[in-house]
Amino acid sequence: MPTPTPSAPPTPSAPSPAARLRGLRPDWLSDPKVWRTEILAGLVVGLALIPEAISFSIIAGVDPAIGLFASFTMAVTISVVGGRRAMISAATGAVALVIAPLNREHGFGYLVAAVILAGVFQIALGALGVARLMRFVPRSVMVGFVNALAILVFMAQVPEMHDVPWPVYPLLVGGLALMVFFPRVTKVIPAPLVAIVVLTTITVAAGIAVPTVGDKGELPSSLPVPGLPDVPFTLDTLTTIAPYALAMALVGLMESLMTAKLVDEITDTHSSKTRESVGQGIANIVTGFFGGMGGCAMIGQTMINVRVSGARTRLSTFLAGAFLLVLCVVFGPVVSDIPMAALVAVMVMVCFATFDWHSIAPKTLRRMPAGELAVMVITVVCVVATHNLAVGVVVGTITAMVIFARRVAHFTNVTSATGPDGASVVHSVTGELFFASSNDLVTQFDYAGDPDRVVIDLSSAHIWDASTVAALDAITTKYAQRGKTVEIIGLNRPSAEIHERLSGELTAGG
């Protein structure tokens, strides 16, 4: 009886167009729970953006509507073109500080032109791969960045708690209590939204006179209109705005990429930093053409969105901007009655949730290397002193690199073994040879006392830079001046290549 031939497995049919479309749909379209979370998170963030945008407008010296429009266009645009889902971008204090002198000295038209040029710079920097530099930011700097952010956000709330009517304080305590205990009842509605609604209802119904959102400035009553900046399109204008635009581009990218990295860690997901860099540029260009003051990622509002409200998609970012505009234009009188105590309570809770309390726990402080602690403290001090997150990150990263270089430099060691006949000596070098360690290498040989034949064994070492090649040339020269020969052995291929290419070429007589 012949053996039956096994039939071939059925070829899987290609998915239908409808199935492919379902696979491309974002989560919030197919999951009602996600949909609800994203909408409520966007509403909370939209409310929290209003006083911040007005405050930053005052810093920049522009009308409050300018900051509110900037927050709307930044959030809506970045929700589409950005690389980090659920991150909030809007008008920020760091950008306001950079462009305020330009607005003060040359006028609003130059400010708008600088915002557009800053966007162009950000797109160029993103295309050049500046986002890849984020891998050089060590964890201790990141922790310092997060802790400094929490401190700065809290410090920004202090004026709202000083020299105010006494009812502000019980309202503030009540708001904090609601955000702590309400999630134990249900997490369907974000606790910050509940706190804002409850405190607003109490103050309006009871006629309690406390500072409100309306006291910060007049809310806009119409939509923004696109247009070109009112400046002469000349080389003189370009040279005037270029330094401010470049500074804004760098500060904005630094804060945005650091925030994106933080959200990556919180959500345990990856984001495209290059796309985020380009997206920030596009968002600033759009904002500039709508007459906005520009901006970047907002860490406080992002923490409200991601950590407090649990948002994870682009919908919350888009709705934060959309709700902001609707709340201002349509529901301006209602929003104006929101007590500042409610929003301050939200931001204080954000500070508490953002601060890395584990980093200052006694157990952590005992185990953490002194250098790591120093980097974290330096980052925090620089940020708090300058009120500029970018400055703290740069200083902290440079400090970490210096500490690392010093630490690695001390690992270089030279051991010597004289031959049986006493006519030769082998110096075995171990460690990483670069500018910090190779400078000390020259002093670790006995040029006068060594025999006539010297062997330098680099089997357990690696040459990283020209400074090391120059140091080896100096060692060879010192022995040659005493009539002794030097042989360098054990070079791995990368070390041999750099040594062969540069040896004898690094001095004027080479």
Side-chain angles (χ1 to χ4, degrees):
M1 183 176 179
T3 304
T5 304
S7 59
T11 303
S13 58
S16 65
R20 286 198 297 268
L21 286 175
R22 283 195 299 271
L24 293 174
R25 289 192 306 179
D27 294 340
W28 54 270
L29 279 179
S30 55
D31 188 338
K33 184 178 179 181
V34 174
W35 183 77
R36 182 180 61 244
T37 299
E38 299 297 311
I39 290 178
L40 292 176
L43 179 57
V44 174
V45 174
L47 287 167
L49 280 172
I50 294 173
E52 296 281 319
I54 295 174
S55 298
F56 299 147
S57 299
I58 295 171
I59 293 173
V62 299
D63 188 87
I66 303 301
L68 292 166
F69 287 154
S71 295
F72 160 68
T73 53
M74 286 293 297
V76 169
T77 306
I78 207 68
S79 70
V80 178
V81 300
R84 173 65 257 177
R85 293 182 297 174
M87 190 168 78
I88 305 298
S89 290
T92 59
V95 169
L97 288 170
V98 170
I99 60 178
L102 179 63
N103 179 59
R104 186 168 56 250
E105 296 171 13
H106 298 278
F108 180 68
Y110 282 82
L111 181 151
V112 173
V115 170
I116 296 173
L117 183 58
V120 174
F121 283 150
Q122 288 178 328
I123 293 175
L125 291 170
L128 291 173
V130 70
R132 288 194 291 269
L133 296 176
M134 289 304 297
R135 61 186 175 181
F136 294 106
V137 178
R139 184 183 179 279
S140 53
V141 173
M142 190 69 189
V143 173
F145 168 83
V146 170
N147 291 345
L149 157 72
I151 294 171
L152 280 184
V153 173
F154 180 80
M155 289 173 61
Q157 311 313 310
V158 172
E160 304 296 339
M161 297 181 280
H162 177 67
D163 196 21
V164 292
W166 70 265
V168 167
Y169 302 108
L171 288 172
L172 180 61
V173 173
L176 292 172
L178 277 171
M179 284 183 283
V180 171
F181 296 108
F182 187 80
R184 301 182 184 181
V185 178
T186 179
K187 294 185 179 180
V188 173
I189 304 175
L193 180 58
V194 174
I196 291 171
V197 172
V198 169
L199 295 188
T200 303
T201 303
I202 291 174
T203 55
V204 173
I208 301 174
V210 292
T212 63
V213 170
D215 296 331
K216 287 289 183 181
E218 185 178 353
L219 301 182
S221 57
S222 60
L223 298 176
V225 178
L228 294 175
D230 184 19
V231 294
F233 293 90
T234 62
L235 182 61
D236 183 60
T237 299
L238 180 63
T239 56
T240 299
I241 66 174
Y244 296 95
L246 181 59
M248 175 183 164
L250 293 174
V251 169
L253 281 184
M254 177 72 73
E255 293 207 20
S256 299
L257 294 177
M258 289 294 292
T259 306
K261 187 176 179 180
L262 176 60
V263 177
D264 287 353
E265 293 183 0
I266 293 173
T267 61
D268 196 24
T269 57
H270 175 71
S271 63
S272 172
K273 304 303 184 296
T274 297
R275 178 177 173 181
E276 183 61 38
S277 301
V278 175
Q280 288 289 330
I282 296 173
N284 273 304
I285 291 174
V286 172
T287 298
F289 281 120
F290 275 92
M293 56 181 279
C296 62
M298 292 192 76
I299 308 173
Q301 274 64 22
T302 297
M303 290 300 100
I304 294 176
N305 197 46
V306 175
R307 176 164 278 176
V308 178
S309 301
R312 293 293 184 271
T313 76
R314 297 179 184 275
L315 178 62
S316 58
T317 305
F318 175 86
L319 289 178
F323 279 138
L324 168 66
L325 190 64
V326 172
L327 288 168
C328 292
V329 175
V330 180
F331 299 102
V334 176
V335 173
S336 296
D337 288 335
I338 295 176
M340 284 302 300
L343 298 176
V344 170
V346 172
M347 297 309 295
V348 169
M349 185 59 66
V350 169
C351 298
F352 184 84
T354 301
F355 196 91
D356 187 349
W357 298 100
H358 176 73
S359 66
I360 60 172
K363 184 178 179 181
T364 304
L365 296 176
R366 285 195 301 268
R367 294 184 176 182
M368 190 70 66
E372 300 285 319
L373 290 175
V375 169
M376 182 182 73
V377 171
I378 288 172
T379 303
V380 171
V381 170
C382 288
V383 171
V384 173
T386 63
H387 285 234
N388 191 322
L389 292 165
V391 170
V393 171
V394 170
V395 174
T397 301
I398 293 174
T399 303
M401 289 180 176
V402 171
I403 291 174
F404 173 77
R406 285 176 56 85
R407 186 182 302 160
V408 175
H410 292 311
F411 290 156
T412 304
N413 188 38
V414 178
T415 57
S416 304
T418 305
D421 56 358
S424 65
V425 63
V426 177
H427 295 293
S428 299
V429 182
T430 59
E432 305 299 320
L433 301 178
F434 63 110
F435 62 90
S437 58
S438 58
N439 289 331
D440 295 333
L441 188 65
V442 180
T443 64
Q444 299 189 44
F445 297 88
D446 185 3
Y447 301 101
D450 280 348
D452 291 341
R453 184 173 180 270
V454 178
V455 177
I456 300 177
D457 185 2
L458 299 179
S459 301
S460 299
H462 184 92
I463 296 176
W464 287 103
D465 58 6
S467 296
T468 302
V469 177
L472 292 173
D473 284 352
I475 293 169
T476 303
T477 300
K478 288 178 179 293
Y479 277 117
Q481 290 171 348
R482 293 166 174 79
K484 302 175 183 182
T485 60
V486 177
E487 180 184 5
I488 298 175
I489 64 172
L491 291 169
N492 56 36
R493 188 164 71 176
S495 298
E497 288 176 355
I498 189 173
H499 184 264
E500 181 180 355
R501 186 170 68 251
L502 297 179
S503 182
E505 303 294 331
L506 299 174
T507 60

